[in-house]
Amino acid sequence: MPHPLNERIVLASRPSGLPRPDNFRVEQDAVPVPGPGQVLLQVLYLSLDPYMRGRMDDAKSYAKPVDVGAVMEGGTVARVVESKHDGFAAGDVVLSQSGWQRYALDDGTMLRKLDPAAAPVSTALGVLGMPGFTAWAGLLQIGRPQPGETVVVAAASGAVGSVVGQIARIHGARAVGIAGGPDKCAFVRDELGFDAVVDHRAPDFAAQLAAACPDGIDVYFENVGGKVFDAVFPLLNDFARMPVCGLISQYNDLPQAAPGPDRLALVMRDVLKKSLTVRGFIQREFAALRPDFLRDAQGWIAAGRLRYREDVVDGLATAPAAFIDLLQGRNFGKLVVKVSD
């Protein structure tokens, strides 16, 4: 083993608003030893995702929060370095939930073997992993885009949004992306092939969005909330569908609601008046469809119809700062931490 100690990052305290570096703590201890039926994993890549912000709060949610003093939760790609499990051998590369640490023990129940020859293993955390599946399931199972319809997706250069828009186009819909800054907008338009893209930082963002959607919006894949939602909502057509995947602009305001006027009555009036479908979802609800997703996504990638971008930062110690940047939209593509070679 190249490292004699296990380095891990734990939740030192619960944040108020945007997390700070002192909400995290780096610890070192002995590399664990596997017992019967266990494997010892060495983490190669750690995924950083917006949902982790919610796990830092002690609030009721769809998953248990991370305890103070516990290792931060996260999906990983790892290598088996020692196995006492009949189903795994040293050298196997697996998708796991090892969290923010260099080594971890696992009983193998939730591990999935990866084929490094089939695709870069880091893609199991992005376009071929949870973010890609989230995009595929939310768009096709809830959004149900039809040929000729307009699909709008926020955070369009990110791990989920970039896949949403490309799948929309594969299914014959018109894809309009919303991104932040000229570089991300150029990537969405020129590299991913969206039909239009609007910069949410533009002072006339709402007017630009309306101009990009002259026939209104039939599907809005919600990743952001806030002012982006405010600009989108008036443009929704009758019978529009809104898969609600995330609200990253508001995560740091929760669990307390941000102060301001209560517009719920106005929103609900239009939900009724326009017969809108607004459906929150967690990707695991559609777990039985994962083989269909992998078949589609792998085929689209091989055919050059589905492209992706990774934002790789080096070293486990960089994870807290990179995660804070993610919550402020400073990443460009699927954010992963390279932990080990």
Side-chain angles (χ1 to χ4, degrees):
M1 291 180 192
H3 297 276
L5 293 175
N6 183 25
E7 183 182 15
R8 59 187 189 177
I9 298 177
V10 304
L11 180 63
S13 58
R14 300 206 183 278
S16 176
L18 182 70
R20 306 181 312 273
D22 61 4
N23 294 131
F24 305 90
R25 182 173 66 247
V26 179
E27 296 183 345
Q28 290 186 332
D29 58 7
V31 175
V33 177
Q38 292 184 318
V39 295
L40 174 62
L41 301 176
Q42 181 182 16
V43 174
L44 305 178
Y45 292 96
L46 164 67
S47 178
L48 296 181
D49 299 286
Y51 78 84
M52 296 172 176
R53 175 61 184 84
R55 304 292 170 82
M56 299 176 75
D57 291 327
D58 187 13
K60 185 176 181 180
S61 185
Y62 61 87
K64 182 180 180 295
V66 176
D67 292 329
V68 173
V71 174
M72 282 290 297
E73 179 178 331
T76 58
V77 168
R79 180 188 298 116
V80 176
V81 294
E82 185 178 352
S83 177
K84 294 185 179 179
H85 188 295
D86 292 340
F88 299 92
D92 286 345
V93 178
V94 297
L95 181 65
S96 61
Q97 284 287 326
S98 303
W100 297 26
Q101 56 186 336
R102 192 174 295 278
Y103 293 96
L105 294 178
D106 200 289
D107 66 4
T109 303
M110 300 301 292
L111 297 182
R112 178 164 66 88
K113 290 183 183 181
L114 301 175
D115 180 2
V121 293
S122 58
T123 60
L125 302 173
V127 66
L128 293 177
M130 181 273 289
F133 181 56
T134 298
W136 181 92
L139 181 64
L140 298 185
Q141 299 302 310
I142 302 172
R144 306 184 312 279
Q146 303 301 308
E149 289 189 329
T150 296
V151 175
V152 172
V153 58
S157 68
V160 175
S162 61
V163 176
V164 168
Q166 292 180 86
I167 295 177
R169 296 196 79 243
I170 288 169
H171 281 260
R174 182 171 179 270
V176 177
I178 299 171
D183 291 342
K184 290 183 178 180
C185 288
F187 170 71
V188 170
R189 181 184 60 248
D190 301 335
E191 297 295 324
L192 301 183
F194 281 47
D195 296 283
V197 61
V198 182
D199 189 341
H200 67 75
R201 298 177 183 172
D204 59 343
F205 162 62
Q208 287 193 28
L209 181 63
C213 304
D215 298 320
I217 297 171
D218 301 293
V219 180
Y220 173 51
F221 196 101
E222 174 66 290
N223 287 318
V224 172
K227 72 173 187 179
V228 172
F229 173 85
D230 292 344
V232 166
F233 195 75
L235 303 177
L236 294 176
N237 290 329
D238 290 353
F239 307 107
R241 289 84 68 196
M242 185 190 305
V244 181
C245 169
L247 299 165
I248 191 171
S249 74
Q250 300 168 230
Y251 286 159
N252 293 316
D253 297 328
L254 302 175
Q256 299 299 320
D262 181 359
R263 295 181 299 156
L264 180 60
L266 295 176
V267 170
M268 294 304 293
R269 180 198 64 188
D270 277 5
V271 168
L272 173 61
K273 184 174 66 175
K274 293 185 176 182
S275 298
L276 304 179
T277 297
V278 181
R279 162 82 150 84
F281 74 101
I282 308 300
Q283 51 86 24
R284 66 189 182 197
E285 301 168 29
F286 304 104
L289 300 175
R290 197 176 304 273
D292 296 333
F293 155 69
L294 288 172
R295 178 203 63 220
D296 287 351
Q298 289 169 344
W300 292 332
I301 291 172
R305 304 182 74 188
L306 180 59
R307 299 183 179 185
Y308 64 93
R309 176 176 177 140
E310 295 179 325
D311 188 344
V312 181
V313 297
D314 193 42
L316 183 61
T318 66
F323 178 63
I324 293 169
D325 284 347
L326 169 70
L327 294 176
Q328 299 175 90
R330 293 175 181 164
N331 63 301
F332 196 160
K334 174 67 190 91
L335 183 58
V336 294
V337 178
K338 185 177 181 181
V339 178
S340 305
D341 292 318

